[in-house]
Amino acid sequence: MGSIGRQVANLLAVNPRVRFAPSPTGYLHVGSARTALFNWLYARATGGTYVLRVEDTDAERNRPELTENLLAELEWLGLDWDEGPLYQSERRDRHRGVVQDLLNGNLAYLCNADNEEVPGQEITDGLAVRFRMPANQTVAFTDLVRGPVSFATEDLEDFVIWRSNGTPMFLLANAVDDADMGITHAIRGEDLLSGVPKVLLLLDAIGAPHPVYAHLPLLVNAQRKKLSKRRDDVSIADYREKGYLPEAMVNYLALLGWGPPDDVEERPIAEIAKLFALEDVNKAPAFFDLKKLEFINAGYLRALSKEDFMERAAPWVSAEAAPWPAENFDAEKYSIMVGLVQEKLRTLADLPRFVDFLFLDEPVDDPDSWHKAMVKGPQAAEMLDGAAVVLADCSWETEAIKEAVAAVGEGLGIKLGKAQAPIRVALTGRTVGPPIFETMALCLDRQVVLDRIAQARSRL
RNA sequence: GCCCCGUUCGUCUAGAGGCCUAGGACGCCAGAUUCUCAUUCUGGUAGCACGGGUUCAAAUCCCGUACGGGGUACCA
């Protein structure tokens, strides 16, 4: 079936219901975000319903602030949900009832800490409940991304469905909740694939239908290991704080394990939703490539209107975050400078170093830049001396300044590209920055320019 | 160990037996444009894990091997 065929299949699917079911044991992880995104995409592609369910059955590991955090990050990414958030912890009685039913039907049994079966048919404090694994059966299902998969029950153990502390285990709660909530498609990470046969058996035992499963390839690090909180940069919050845009983040994430049919990679997520089909998802793990994320982020940054850009960038130039004294900030000059540097950034975090010289009492001291332009560069002293003379009385506008500096350079036999370097470093502290002649004409007073050139000259 | 899954340029992917001399994107390299950087443009680099089949024809189907990953908790 071609990609078009799959999109038709999407439309034919009747009212799919999907869910993202994170456990709030940490901040939102890029792998989880990708799972949430693919659920969202599938729901939006099919006109289905996307449910958010918080799997907080492990009371010892859960903390409420982590849940709030999780929801905030999902909102930031723009992955709005249609129902929920539902909290699994609030369904304890239902889970307990199901476990008791299984016990009554002898499909499960009580078990002590030594994993020995103990007689009895009532859920008992201090005793766990295990599901009785049927012998000699093959559990088979067709995964939407991986195709037919089967397991033999001999390879499966009697697994715990109810803890001795009176709480349900993941497999049980997950299966019951999916059934009760009418989940038709369970879209999640491949690490959950081997749990499917147990869930299917459980579903059969309680007489519930099987959802369709789709197991997404894992996101891996450079060592090809599953992304882990400990080793890798996986927190969505960190990417936000590093100056990545949510639309760039979801666009990039959509490209891991899936490719657009027309090779157009950079596009709004709503457009991706129209092209998305679960059957097109790859089976092989994908490496999270920061370089490509940066590239995509830079594209989104450039595409922002100036107003949008300034709004998004505000946190990076706020009084608390900025490297300059707040009272030096000049909104008008900043606004002009944004127009000159927006296209140069890869992340919003790059912004301060492109504009800081405007608001700092003195430009930053960047040894590499100084060395490159003032020490290694040609005739830095002569350039600064010459510039000081011509800039003292040339007309204070971009072209005039540019011509004046170029003339000094020509007199010394240096092209403008090299000639401007010492001046740029004298004014901004760095070899890389905004177009320097515009910056002078529009944002720097003649006297400041002359002072900074003199200051730099005296250091030579 | 056992079970399950996977393998197309360095990376993300297109590919559904002939359209493949394997396409695109990121990266990298070179060049053009440019007041730095960035942008933009042009060109280049580089891949079907291996071995057997099936077929007139295989990246694509089958089997095996190798390698990689996931699972195997009173975590989720």
Side-chain angles (χ1 to χ4, degrees):
Chain A
M1 186 162 48
S3 159
I4 300 297
R6 263 159 247 156
Q7 287 163 46
V8 171
N10 273 349
L11 297 174
L12 261 35
V14 258
N15 303 325
R17 287 175 60 81
V18 300
R19 79 321 194 252
F20 174 52
S23 121
T25 53
Y27 296 93
L28 184 63
H29 181 289
V30 292
S32 307
R34 203 275 302 253
T35 299
L37 171 63
F38 278 41
N39 274 282
W40 184 93
L41 285 171
Y42 185 69
R44 296 298 172 259
T46 58
T49 305
Y50 171 50
V51 183
L52 182 62
R53 183 175 76 219
V54 180
E55 306 220 325
D56 53 350
T57 57
D58 186 3
E60 287 164 24
R61 287 174 42 175
N62 290 325
R63 283 182 284 143
E65 68 271 22
L66 294 179
T67 300
E68 284 169 32
N69 205 292
L70 193 75
L71 302 186
E73 297 305 341
L74 286 171
E75 281 171 16
W76 179 71
L77 289 170
L79 303 179
D80 53 315
W81 50 92
D82 304 313
E83 289 181 19
L86 275 26
Y87 293 89
Q88 203 160 51
S89 57
E90 292 169 5
R91 296 176 40 80
R92 176 83 44 91
D93 292 346
R94 165 63 175 154
H95 298 146
R96 186 186 174 99
V98 169
V99 172
Q100 185 57 57
D101 286 349
L102 292 171
L103 235 25
N104 294 342
N106 196 32
L107 293 165
Y109 59 88
L110 295 169
C111 151
N112 65 22
D114 296 323
N115 292 339
E116 293 160 343
E117 179 167 353
V118 314
Q121 281 203 317
E122 288 298 318
I123 291 177
T124 310
D125 280 352
L127 291 179
V129 178
R130 277 179 191 273
F131 182 77
R132 221 180 271 289
M133 186 58 61
N136 303 313
Q137 280 189 26
T138 297
V139 182
F141 62 100
T142 300
D143 188 282
L144 234 38
V145 344
R146 324 199 78 87
V149 181
S150 68
F151 293 82
T153 53
E154 290 88 279
D155 296 321
L156 272 20
E157 68 286 359
D158 292 353
F159 57 101
V160 173
I161 55 178
W162 190 258
R163 296 190 188 87
S164 56
N165 71 0
T167 58
M169 283 291 283
F170 162 70
L171 253 13
L172 185 281
N174 190 264
V176 171
D177 290 354
D178 278 353
D180 289 354
M181 293 169 190
I183 299 302
T184 59
H185 295 72
I187 305 166
R188 52 192 200 168
E190 198 210 323
D191 50 342
L192 266 15
L193 183 61
S194 9
V196 174
K198 293 174 184 171
V199 173
L200 261 22
L201 258 9
L202 228 29
L203 255 14
D204 289 344
I206 64 179
H210 298 177
V212 172
Y213 288 92
H215 287 88
L216 274 15
L218 260 18
L219 261 30
V220 297
N221 61 21
Q223 286 72 46
R224 298 255 126 209
K225 302 269 191 220
K226 175 167 83 161
L227 245 31
S228 103
K229 211 165 288 182
R230 190 158 290 185
R231 304 180 290 255
D232 310 301
D233 292 332
V234 296
S235 164
I236 287 291
D238 286 347
Y239 286 94
R240 174 166 44 74
E241 284 159 17
K242 285 176 188 165
Y244 291 92
L245 260 22
E247 51 270 53
M249 202 70 203
V250 291
N251 190 160
Y252 175 63
L253 250 17
L255 264 15
L256 295 177
W258 178 83
D262 56 5
D263 279 341
V264 178
E265 295 188 327
E266 290 169 81
R267 67 203 321 165
I269 203 67
E271 204 173 300
I272 288 179
K274 290 182 189 149
L275 301 168
F276 183 80
L278 270 179
E279 293 84 348
D280 289 333
V281 173
N282 286 150
K283 301 175 178 70
F287 171 66
F288 186 87
D289 186 5
L290 197 58
K291 281 277 181 55
K292 187 148 184 176
L293 206 213
E294 277 181 7
F295 170 83
I296 289 176
N297 196 244
Y300 276 92
L301 242 21
R302 264 183 261 118
L304 252 24
S305 71
K306 186 173 172 184
E307 292 66 37
D308 281 348
F309 180 90
M310 288 181 68
E311 200 178 317
R312 308 290 197 103
W316 278 266
V317 294
S318 67
E320 310 80 63
W324 52 75
E327 64 272 18
N328 285 7
F329 187 73
D330 180 324
E332 198 176 331
K333 287 181 179 175
Y334 168 67
S335 172
I336 293 168
M337 193 55 56
V338 163
L340 299 177
V341 305
Q342 179 178 348
E343 63 178 21
K344 300 174 185 295
L345 310 178
R346 292 187 74 82
T347 68
L348 287 169
D350 292 337
L351 181 58
R353 67 185 167 81
F354 274 90
V355 303
D356 61 358
F357 65 93
L358 283 180
F359 314 123
L360 252 16
D361 293 325
E362 290 177 5
V364 293
D365 180 22
D366 178 50
D368 287 347
S369 291
W370 184 267
H371 182 79
K372 191 173 172 193
M374 303 297 198
V375 181
K376 246 182 85 193
Q379 308 180 71
E382 290 81 350
M383 265 316 302
L384 291 178
D385 288 339
V389 173
V390 297
L391 292 177
D393 57 16
C394 74
S395 164
W396 205 244
E397 52 191 19
T398 305
E399 274 312 303
I401 295 173
K402 180 178 173 183
E403 279 166 28
V405 172
V408 176
E410 276 167 37
L412 295 167
I414 311 171
K415 285 185 182 167
L416 190 54
K418 295 277 190 193
Q420 58 86 43
I423 297 161
R424 175 184 295 281
V425 172
L427 299 180
T428 71
R430 300 186 177 87
T431 51
V432 172
I436 199 66
F437 306 123
E438 278 90 337
T439 301
M440 281 193 248
L442 303 175
C443 296
L444 291 171
D445 292 335
R446 190 193 299 266
Q447 197 52 51
V448 171
V449 169
L450 295 176
D451 287 349
R452 287 191 179 184
I453 287 176
Q455 179 67 30
R457 180 65 182 89
S458 71
R459 271 184 68 185
L460 283 174

